[in-house]
Amino acid sequence: MFSDLKFPLRAVARFCLAGLFASLASVALAQSETEDFYLEMDAPVAAPVDVPVEVPVPSYTPMPTLHQSLPGVVPVFVPELSLDQLGVADVTAGIDAARNFCSSLPDEYRIDCLAEQLERVAKSLPKTAESREMRKILHQTSDKLEKVVRENRDRSKPRISAKSATAPAPTPSRPQPAPIATSRPLKAVKTEALPTAEAEAAAILEEAGILLLRSSTQSQETSQHYQAVAEALDSTALLLRS
């Protein structure tokens, strides 16, 4: 009789062992998946990510104004100078000074010098409606010149910083101007690519002059400002073509 039960008992034992191993494997798999999940997280969270959490926001108490916090003190607001008040002489003088400054540097650094200096002139313009287009054109011109330098850069030569030994000519609003200095290191252009790069940079400056003339459709005085700056850019283009 026991010999007849031998085969069913073996089958039941194998079945139980298989079930036990399957249970242990599922537990190990679940544990490994849980560990992998938390290993990928930067930090534990207090609530599931799909559950909104309300964060208390403190009530806003407005700060006292200047005349409220300091009785007897009346704030004075200084209006920004317009292009007419700033004077076109300051803008053209800035471009002329940039041209003279950059021409004193080695030829391979002149294009990036002009890009940096034109950006400085653009930032000095008043943020008014009449100078908006001029500021935009000068910014774009600076960016285009920088692109020429990037495409023809000589990485074997170091970046340089420069400062003029003397100050530029004074203007009505700047009777004692400071010497010109670069605000960032200048990059060099490859010697073999210099003629092509200078021709491209000169064309960019001439295009900026044309854009300024097309934009001078405002008042007669503002139009004269745009025309004067366009002439200054044309003179700068001659530096690169010489």
Side-chain angles (χ1 to χ4, degrees), residues 76-91:
V76 177
F77 300 96
V78 180
E80 189 171 17
L81 294 176
S82 65
L83 189 58
D84 293 337
Q85 293 169 326
L86 177 65
V88 68
D90 288 335
V91 183

Side-chain angles (χ1 to χ4, degrees), residues 90-162:
D90 288 335
V91 183
T92 55
I95 296 177
D96 292 341
R99 179 176 65 251
N100 296 332
F101 173 66
C102 295
S103 64
S104 65
L105 299 180
D107 292 350
E108 56 267 25
Y109 293 97
R110 290 193 300 182
I111 300 176
D112 201 25
C113 177
L114 289 174
E116 187 268 338
Q117 289 294 304
L118 286 180
E119 181 68 17
R120 177 183 60 81
V121 173
K123 290 180 178 179
S124 69
L125 291 173
K127 296 180 181 179
T128 57
E130 59 186 351
S131 62
R132 182 186 300 115
E133 195 64 24
M134 181 184 295
R135 189 170 61 252
K136 176 184 175 182
I137 292 173
L138 291 179
H139 276 306
Q140 292 175 342
T141 303
S142 174
D143 291 341
K144 291 178 181 178
L145 292 176
E146 280 194 68
K147 182 181 178 182
V148 173
V149 175
R150 287 196 304 271
E151 293 175 347
N152 300 276
R153 182 180 175 184
D154 188 350
R155 296 187 178 275
S156 65
K157 294 182 179 179
R159 297 190 299 172
I160 65 170
S161 296

Side-chain angles (χ1 to χ4, degrees), residues 5-20:
L5 294 175
K6 185 181 298 185
F7 178 76
L9 287 175
R10 288 180 180 177
V12 171
R14 290 176 181 175
F15 178 78
C16 292
L17 288 174
L20 178 60

